[in-house]
Amino acid sequence: MDDLIILEVTVNGQRRSARVDRRELLVEALRARFGVTGPKIGCLTGDCGACTVRLNGLITKSCLRLAVAEEGAEIETLESMSTESGLSDLQEAFWDNNAFQCGYCLSGMLFSAEDLLEHNPTPNEQEIRQAISGNLCRCTGYDAIVTAIKQHADRVGDKTFSTRPADVGEISSQA
């Protein structure tokens, strides 16, 4: 039996195909066959978060999934986060706060933060720490990461608040 098959997936918005081994992990295929280096090979047990991607809209650890099981999937990696003009606002907050050093944990931290903020745009420190708890970082001690996520949430919240239209009650009470 031939152990190689053709896998067709969408990676960062582009439809792609590659020959993969039936036993190959998704993180291995992404790096070796599709040329994306955002997801890192770390623990291979799902503990470190270095391999985190968004798979069909949900964050997942790609070291825990066989590539062949993801036929037809939509996969977003760390490379998808930046914009045409540069870093995303969340990435900028990490940069501004020196919230990464070696970058190994970055996929897990950024995807976890993004997922948290999609569901809870105004998290407190405890909620942020809980959200990133599935990712290991050996460089920063987590404080800078928590600060960056909180700063980004506050910035987004300020923009939302300052640009929202005045409530009808507010207008009548100001008149």
Side-chain angles (χ1 to χ4, degrees), residues 40-59:
K40 306 289 190 254
I41 297 174
C43 64
L44 294 175
T45 59
D47 293 324
C48 75
C51 66
T52 303
V53 298
R54 190 175 293 273
L55 179 67
N56 296 324
L58 301 174
I59 60 170

